[in-house]
Amino acid sequence: MQVARHVVCALSGGVDSAVAALLLRRRGYQVTGVFMKNWDSLDEHGVCTADKDCEDAYRVCKVLDIPFHQVSYVKEYWNDVFSDFLNEYEKGRTPNPDIVCNKRIKFSCFFHYAVDNLGADAVATGHYARTSLEDEEVFQQKHIKRPEGLFRNRFEVRSVVKLLQAADSFKDQTFFLSQVSQDALRRTLFPLGGLTKDFVKKIAAENRLHHVLQKKESMGICFIGKRNFENFILQYLQPRPGKFISIEDSRVLGTHKGWFLYTLGQRANIGGLHEPWFVVEKDSATGDVLVAPRTDHPALYRDLLRTNRVHWIAEEPPTALVRDKMMECHFRFRHQMALVCCVLQRGGVPGQWEDYAPGAVCLHPPEGPKQVQGGHRGLQRCS
């Protein structure tokens, strides 16, 4: 008699990961639930929300009759995610900590804990995503320690696992998984990849998981919660007062506490002005933030942008891109943003790439699962 495959499922205390664990049990796998504590401060009401989430995850395991484990990655999260978050903001860039958390914590620390400490044949999460591997193909994968350096052994023959969009295009979370390594992807199951959110809720309601079904869905950055973003950031970064300057006539429209607090394209809440103004440029030398009226102002649009080294999910750039030094693909820099068709080409600096979006034409993704090629800001190969 074949021993049941052991799958370690990350449980957040929410409905998605709970149903993911339930579906794995239904498939006949030996399932273990693990709750990760990544942040340990109190919320705006003085309550440690991680403790409540942990309790909810534990109750899920009780309902499903599976083992429960709790691990703390508070130190790793601070060093590898939050410190990076602050450093990027201080440089005037807008990082996405969820992408970094998946790369450094969930699909690195948790992945290795599940495989090395708990003896998992595979790991699973409640993300809305898919890969090109069936369950049995995942279980056949062997963990191979990767050599240090930029390139893998060119004589090593390995099939590449693809990251595919979820069936529920609105809930699709491949954007947040775009920097996960090949090794982690090839050993990961995404039970919700073929389901819609409404159906996941229906499954939870029918299987005694009401305590997670009733919870509000978490949105935004986990360590900020409902607190004021500006006030939170200024607890860690020194204020750098500056002016809001109109890009049309150089008028001073107001003042702010730090140019690094603003993202290009963001609405700037300028005291005393009722009409909306939007961030066009940020001057780190003077501290000024240049703003423009209206969302359709020409100064807010770009058809060329540059990026540094791209994380290729397949570990290496597509052959056509290497050969032709350019490739048509789709692009997004924000979750749920409509995909834009663009041309990716090699820049003048090694490892640097340029995205050119002619006319900034927005295209919706075509029907069916879409392969995600690169992970710097969600590049996808045009079909």
Side-chain angles (χ1 to χ4, degrees), residues 240-243 245 256 259 281-290:
R240 299 180 191 173
K243 306 182 189 71
I245 307 291
H256 58 77
W259 60 274
E281 295 286 355
K282 301 183 290 185
D283 191 329
S284 59
T286 64
D288 292 338
V289 175
L290 304 180

Side-chain angles (χ1 to χ4, degrees), residues 344-371:
L344 178 68
Q345 62 185 37
R346 188 183 297 275
V349 179
Q352 185 185 72
W353 302 85
E354 297 178 345
D355 297 334
Y356 175 61
V361 179
C362 293
L363 300 175
H364 290 284
E367 300 265 342
K370 193 77 176 171
Q371 177 180 347

